[in-house]
Structure formats: structure tokens, C-alpha cells
Amino acid sequence: MNTAIRRMQSLFFYPKRNLRAKLFLFFLIVAIIPLNILGYLSYAKSSQIVQAQIGQYGQSAVNQLQAQLDTYASQMQMTSRYIYSYLLDPLNNTLHEEESSSYASFLDQKNFERFLDAHKTMESTGIYLITQSGYYYGSPQINVDRLRQSDWWKAIPSGLHGEYWTGFHAPDYYIARNLNLPDQVMGFVFPLSSQYGTFTNGFIFIEVDATKVLDSFRMLEGELHSFVTIRDASGRAIYDTPQAAMSKADDLVWMKTLESNKWTVEVRTPYEQVYRSVNVIQPLTAAVIAGTLLLALIVSFLFSSQITKRIKRLKNKMELVGIGKLHSRIDLGSEDELGRLGNSFNSMVEQIQTLIQEVTKKEQLKKEAELRAFHYQINPHLLLNTLNSIQWQAKLKGDDEIRQTIYHLTKVLEGSLITTQELVPLHKELRTVEHYLKIQEVRYGGAFEFQSSVEEELNHYLIPRMTLQPLLENCFFHGFEDGEGTIKLTVAKHKGELMLVLADNGEGIPEQRLATLLDEQMPRSGRGGLGCFNVDQKFKLHFGEQYGMKIESQEGKGTTITIRWPMKEEIKETP
């Protein structure tokens, strides 16, 4: 008797502990309830789920498309402003509408083209300044006549004032065809007015790779069967889905306006595409009405079993993603709600991976760009002063000392100009210092004294290149009078880190000036503290904000610079 009671209790509580039993009983009860109510409820619920999923997915896709277009447009607008500012500078008003006829104008042209190249991004196809005569600045090479014969170029309004977006077009005006050019680019034109002098009626022309944007269009047109329309602020069509159907009142429409250039992005999905899955349920409901109770029992059991298996797989994959395993994917093997949910989940994980990779790559590129920017600001007076010394030696003596001076100068310049390695072993940086001091001996003779104390075991640790030479240069140009003084360099280990101390007995630094040397907010020009600031920034960018330079100085008693950074060894490639 007690055994029978326990079995009854176990049978009663079994559905509470088992999802399959719950589903089986649920579908059994639903099969007994009037099937017309079941059909209505299933149709309404499916419609709500499908509409919510498509609405969220469509809104997310349109937001992503808006952000992508805004990013490209903002980059091109910012680049045009940089070029605009460059041309407005009277010091740069040396460019012409023709091929350079002198070496000075040739250098001006090359400097300007390097300026244009420096503003290219990974998406940039070309940045050009096209003059009225047909001469242009920029790379790679283009055929300006063929460019001006393009329909989209002819569509640029005459007497244009302000920016103009050319839309999407094929870059068929490039001279070289082995440049791996994209099939379609997005163009931006900015006219130059009379205030530019030489370049009156010229254009700043910028274009970027439109592959990713067009892929986004095709994704919406393919996955959602949507129609994409983009118009500028004046209503001109920038892009329109080929063979787009007429709009209807019941279409699902998403619209966004770009902040950068006021373009309007419209994505329209026809009603029949949105509710196709819902309409499929209607004949299935009629088939269920014609079924028998026995069939309902069998289907209920099988269906509950399949759903629980798929939900378990879905749950397991979500838990894996939740702990950081972003390579996990869901394969539910169907096109129903769970299948679409799995596909949406897979797309979400892929987008997260892509965003993480893009952010990592952009941060790396930003860091490298900042390092290069700080490096290229190194004061050029070293080269000028050294050349003056060589000139006087050539004039007064004419002996082998000139050859030695040039040799040491070359070694110093090698350390400054070769940018393939930002971190170098300490012994290599010290050799550059030795060559620099040889140059100063030519200029000042034995007026100065240099004392060095570096532990031998530290020579293979890494240090940012060209960091000591600017500091020594400050000693000679700001601390010493006629090169007379003493410099002491010490490198040692301190609490598991490297510590460099550079001290001189020169004139020292005024207290007011000392407080601003390493301040990032202070504007810098000429030689006033730029070398110290750049060296400090190099250490911070390479090793972190907690590292860098400390400067102590008293007027008339000299200056002491202390630099602290972690012990990092050079990684040697195995053959």
C-alpha cells in the first residue's frame, strides 16, 4: 500500500522536476481544448514574436548602418578641414597648378603630398587636391580628364559652395590597375573659393572604400528582403535598391538621419516578408484540427523531447559565451523561432568578436600613430648645428676630422630616422649617445666632461629609441654656456625596475618653467621643452602612465632627470 502511494506521489511531482513532462502535459491539454482557440492563440503569439525579432534586428541593423556611414562621412569631413587649414596657412602658400620647376617647389609639393598621405585611413582610397588646370596633388595616380568625364562628376552643381557628396561609384579613372581597388567607392568633394589664391575653382576630392557599406546594404536586402534608400539633405538619391517594389502602407519602415551630413537612411521591409512565418502557421493549424487525439499524444511526446534538447543546447552555448568562449556557435538545425533565435545569437556573437578585434586594432594603430607623431617632433637643430660645425672644419682645416664628424653624424641620424624598431637594447641607445658626444667634441673641444656608469647586465634591456640624445642636446643648448660643464649618466636596477639618472651642473631651469615642462596641456613651439615632453610621452605610451620622467632643477646649480621603466628584454626570433 505504501509503495503504491509513493508511486502515485512520484508520478504527481514528476512534471514539476522535468521539463519534458511539463511540455507533454501542456500539449496534451491544449489538444483537448477547442482547437480553434489554440489556432488563434498560436497565430497571435507567433505574430508577436516574429514582429519583435524582426523589429529589433532591423532597428539594430539600421543603427549599425547609420554609425558606419557617419564614421566614414565624419572622417572625410575632418580630413577636408585639415587640408583646408593647411592651405590657409600663408607659410604653405608655395604650391602651384603645374609641375614643379625648381627643387624648392618640388620639396613643397612632396611635403604637401606626404601631408595628404598622412591623413589616409585604412578605408581611404585616395585624397587629392585637383586644380582648375587639371593638375593634381595626391596618390595613387589618376586620369583627371577621365575623372571629369564621369557622370557623377558632371552632376556636381556649377558654382558649388560647401561640401558635396558624390555617392557611390566605380573608381575607373585610376591609371594603375594593380592597386587592389574596390569595385565601389564613396566620394566627397569640397570646392576651393577665391580665398585660396592659386587654387581658385579647384577641389579637395576624398574617397573611401564603400565595400563594407554596400555589404551592409546587401545584407539587409538579402536577409530581410528589404529595400534601402539613402537621400542627401536636398532629397537627391544617393543609393536606391535596384528593382525596388512600390511602398505600401503596411510596410515595416526604419528611418535614421546621419549627424555628419544629414543624409536620410530608409529601410523598408514589405508586409508579406515580415509576416511570412506567421502565415505558414494557418494551414498547420487546420491540419492539427483534423488530427486525432492519438496523433496529438505522439506528437506531443516527440515535440517536447526535441524542444528540450534544443533548449539545452542553446543554454549550454549561451553559458560558454557567458564565460568568454566567443568561438561557440549554435546549430539548431531549423528555421523556426528557436532556429532564428540561434542565428540571431550567432550573429550577435560574431559582431561582438568583430567589434573587439576592431577596437583592439584601432587602439594599436592609435598608439603607433602617437608614437610616430612624438618621434617626428624631435628638434631638427641637431642636424643644423652639426652641419655648421662640418662647414667650419672644411673651411679652416680640410683634414680627416671632417670624415669622422660625418661618420658620427650618420650614426646619430640612423638612430633617429630608422623607424622599424621603436624599442632598442640599451647598449644600442648608448652607442648613439657616444656618436652624438663625438660630434659635440668637434664643436666644443674638451670644454665638457661626460661620465657614464651603466651596469653591464642591463645592456640588453629595451628602451625607447632616440630618448637620450634629445636630453643631452638640452644640456648643451640650454644648460651649458659654450659647451662647458659636466654630464653624469647612471643606469641601474631599482626595486625590479630600471632607473636612469642624467645630471648636469649647468644653468638649471627656472621654477616657473620647470612646472610646465611635462604638462600635456601646455602649447609647445621651438625648442622650449619639446624634447623632454616627447621623451616622457614615449615611456608612458610604451610602458604605461605610471612610468616616465621626473625633473629636478635649481637655477645656477644644474638639472637632474630621473626616468623609471620596467625591465623588458628583447625577443629574439628563432631561426
mmCIF file of all heavy atoms in Angstrom, residues 375-376 378 382 411-419 432 465-466 469:
data_model
loop_
_atom_site.group_PDB
_atom_site.id
_atom_site.type_symbol
_atom_site.label_atom_id
_atom_site.label_comp_id
_atom_site.label_asym_id
_atom_site.label_seq_id
_atom_site.Cartn_x
_atom_site.Cartn_y
_atom_site.Cartn_z
ATOM 1 N N HIS A 375 57.774 61.049 -32.177
ATOM 2 C CA HIS A 375 59.137 60.870 -32.699
ATOM 3 C C HIS A 375 59.475 61.921 -33.750
ATOM 4 O O HIS A 375 60.571 62.483 -33.753
ATOM 5 C CB HIS A 375 59.277 59.476 -33.294
ATOM 6 C CG HIS A 375 60.600 59.273 -33.986
ATOM 7 N ND1 HIS A 375 61.792 59.194 -33.302
ATOM 8 C CD2 HIS A 375 60.909 59.169 -35.304
ATOM 9 C CE1 HIS A 375 62.775 59.034 -34.168
ATOM 10 N NE2 HIS A 375 62.261 59.012 -35.378
ATOM 11 N N TYR A 376 58.506 62.206 -34.616
ATOM 12 C CA TYR A 376 58.799 63.140 -35.706
ATOM 13 C C TYR A 376 58.852 64.590 -35.253
ATOM 14 O O TYR A 376 59.135 65.489 -36.052
ATOM 15 C CB TYR A 376 57.770 62.985 -36.823
ATOM 16 C CG TYR A 376 57.905 61.670 -37.557
ATOM 17 C CD1 TYR A 376 56.779 60.940 -37.909
ATOM 18 C CD2 TYR A 376 59.164 61.154 -37.869
ATOM 19 C CE1 TYR A 376 56.908 59.728 -38.570
ATOM 20 C CE2 TYR A 376 59.285 59.956 -38.529
ATOM 21 C CZ TYR A 376 58.166 59.242 -38.876
ATOM 22 O OH TYR A 376 58.288 58.061 -39.528
ATOM 23 N N ILE A 378 60.982 65.553 -32.987
ATOM 24 C CA ILE A 378 62.327 65.766 -32.436
ATOM 25 C C ILE A 378 62.960 66.994 -33.083
ATOM 26 O O ILE A 378 62.906 67.190 -34.295
ATOM 27 C CB ILE A 378 63.197 64.514 -32.660
ATOM 28 C CG1 ILE A 378 62.653 63.367 -31.805
ATOM 29 C CG2 ILE A 378 64.645 64.774 -32.318
ATOM 30 C CD1 ILE A 378 63.391 62.072 -31.981
ATOM 31 N N LEU A 382 69.780 69.753 -34.075
ATOM 32 C CA LEU A 382 70.987 68.918 -34.050
ATOM 33 C C LEU A 382 71.620 68.848 -35.431
ATOM 34 O O LEU A 382 72.830 69.051 -35.591
ATOM 35 C CB LEU A 382 70.620 67.499 -33.568
ATOM 36 C CG LEU A 382 71.668 66.406 -33.865
ATOM 37 C CD1 LEU A 382 72.943 66.662 -33.090
ATOM 38 C CD2 LEU A 382 71.082 65.035 -33.529
ATOM 39 N N LYS A 411 75.726 58.008 -37.858
ATOM 40 C CA LYS A 411 75.271 57.042 -36.860
ATOM 41 C C LYS A 411 74.129 57.609 -36.017
ATOM 42 O O LYS A 411 73.193 56.903 -35.653
ATOM 43 C CB LYS A 411 76.440 56.632 -35.949
ATOM 44 C CG LYS A 411 77.513 55.830 -36.676
ATOM 45 C CD LYS A 411 76.937 54.545 -37.253
ATOM 46 C CE LYS A 411 77.995 53.710 -37.961
ATOM 47 N NZ LYS A 411 77.398 52.477 -38.531
ATOM 48 N N VAL A 412 74.241 58.897 -35.673
ATOM 49 C CA VAL A 412 73.167 59.513 -34.905
ATOM 50 C C VAL A 412 71.881 59.564 -35.717
ATOM 51 O O VAL A 412 70.783 59.262 -35.235
ATOM 52 C CB VAL A 412 73.568 60.922 -34.436
ATOM 53 C CG1 VAL A 412 72.394 61.622 -33.759
ATOM 54 C CG2 VAL A 412 74.745 60.848 -33.477
ATOM 55 N N LEU A 413 72.021 59.953 -37.009
ATOM 56 C CA LEU A 413 70.838 60.038 -37.864
ATOM 57 C C LEU A 413 70.218 58.677 -38.103
ATOM 58 O O LEU A 413 69.001 58.557 -38.266
ATOM 59 C CB LEU A 413 71.204 60.688 -39.199
ATOM 60 C CG LEU A 413 71.569 62.175 -39.120
ATOM 61 C CD1 LEU A 413 71.941 62.705 -40.488
ATOM 62 C CD2 LEU A 413 70.415 62.975 -38.537
ATOM 63 N N GLU A 414 71.033 57.624 -38.152
ATOM 64 C CA GLU A 414 70.473 56.271 -38.303
ATOM 65 C C GLU A 414 69.550 55.954 -37.135
ATOM 66 O O GLU A 414 68.467 55.394 -37.323
ATOM 67 C CB GLU A 414 71.601 55.238 -38.370
ATOM 68 C CG GLU A 414 72.319 55.202 -39.703
ATOM 69 C CD GLU A 414 73.453 54.191 -39.701
ATOM 70 O OE1 GLU A 414 73.721 53.594 -38.640
ATOM 71 O OE2 GLU A 414 74.043 53.998 -40.766
ATOM 72 N N GLY A 415 69.940 56.289 -35.947
ATOM 73 C CA GLY A 415 69.090 56.031 -34.790
ATOM 74 C C GLY A 415 67.830 56.873 -34.801
ATOM 75 O O GLY A 415 66.806 56.483 -34.254
ATOM 76 N N SER A 416 67.903 58.064 -35.442
ATOM 77 C CA SER A 416 66.747 58.953 -35.457
ATOM 78 C C SER A 416 65.763 58.631 -36.561
ATOM 79 O O SER A 416 64.559 58.696 -36.365
ATOM 80 C CB SER A 416 67.231 60.401 -35.603
ATOM 81 O OG SER A 416 66.153 61.269 -35.782
ATOM 82 N N LEU A 417 66.265 58.267 -37.743
ATOM 83 C CA LEU A 417 65.408 58.171 -38.915
ATOM 84 C C LEU A 417 64.902 56.774 -39.207
ATOM 85 O O LEU A 417 63.907 56.615 -39.896
ATOM 86 C CB LEU A 417 66.155 58.704 -40.158
ATOM 87 C CG LEU A 417 66.594 60.167 -40.065
ATOM 88 C CD1 LEU A 417 67.367 60.570 -41.306
ATOM 89 C CD2 LEU A 417 65.398 61.075 -39.853
ATOM 90 N N ILE A 418 65.578 55.723 -38.735
ATOM 91 C CA ILE A 418 65.120 54.359 -38.991
ATOM 92 C C ILE A 418 64.015 54.040 -38.000
ATOM 93 O O ILE A 418 64.249 53.977 -36.795
ATOM 94 C CB ILE A 418 66.275 53.348 -38.863
ATOM 95 C CG1 ILE A 418 67.344 53.640 -39.916
ATOM 96 C CG2 ILE A 418 65.760 51.920 -39.017
ATOM 97 C CD1 ILE A 418 68.566 52.757 -39.815
ATOM 98 N N THR A 419 62.783 53.865 -38.480
ATOM 99 C CA THR A 419 61.610 53.740 -37.621
ATOM 100 C C THR A 419 61.053 52.327 -37.560
ATOM 101 O O THR A 419 59.922 52.120 -37.164
ATOM 102 C CB THR A 419 60.501 54.680 -38.132
ATOM 103 O OG1 THR A 419 60.158 54.290 -39.477
ATOM 104 C CG2 THR A 419 60.954 56.110 -38.117
ATOM 105 N N THR A 432 74.534 55.378 -29.737
ATOM 106 C CA THR A 432 74.067 56.615 -30.378
ATOM 107 C C THR A 432 74.505 57.838 -29.578
ATOM 108 O O THR A 432 74.919 58.857 -30.134
ATOM 109 C CB THR A 432 72.532 56.589 -30.512
ATOM 110 O OG1 THR A 432 72.137 55.438 -31.271
ATOM 111 C CG2 THR A 432 72.025 57.843 -31.214
ATOM 112 N N ARG A 465 63.811 54.157 -28.477
ATOM 113 C CA ARG A 465 64.941 54.697 -29.219
ATOM 114 C C ARG A 465 64.890 56.226 -29.262
ATOM 115 O O ARG A 465 63.827 56.842 -29.160
ATOM 116 C CB ARG A 465 64.970 54.142 -30.651
ATOM 117 C CG ARG A 465 63.789 54.554 -31.485
ATOM 118 C CD ARG A 465 63.835 53.893 -32.857
ATOM 119 N NE ARG A 465 62.756 54.392 -33.690
ATOM 120 C CZ ARG A 465 62.825 55.491 -34.404
ATOM 121 N NH1 ARG A 465 63.924 56.221 -34.384
ATOM 122 N NH2 ARG A 465 61.809 55.884 -35.160
ATOM 123 N N MET A 466 66.075 56.817 -29.423
ATOM 124 C CA MET A 466 66.247 58.276 -29.511
ATOM 125 C C MET A 466 65.596 59.004 -28.329
ATOM 126 O O MET A 466 64.869 59.975 -28.483
ATOM 127 C CB MET A 466 65.682 58.792 -30.839
ATOM 128 C CG MET A 466 66.499 58.390 -32.047
ATOM 129 S SD MET A 466 68.245 58.885 -31.942
ATOM 130 C CE MET A 466 68.083 60.667 -31.994
ATOM 131 N N GLN A 469 69.448 61.119 -26.588
ATOM 132 C CA GLN A 469 70.070 62.202 -27.368
ATOM 133 C C GLN A 469 69.343 63.546 -27.183
ATOM 134 O O GLN A 469 70.000 64.581 -27.001
ATOM 135 C CB GLN A 469 70.134 61.795 -28.845
ATOM 136 C CG GLN A 469 70.804 62.810 -29.757
ATOM 137 C CD GLN A 469 69.823 63.866 -30.252
ATOM 138 O OE1 GLN A 469 68.663 63.559 -30.482
ATOM 139 N NE2 GLN A 469 70.296 65.090 -30.404
#
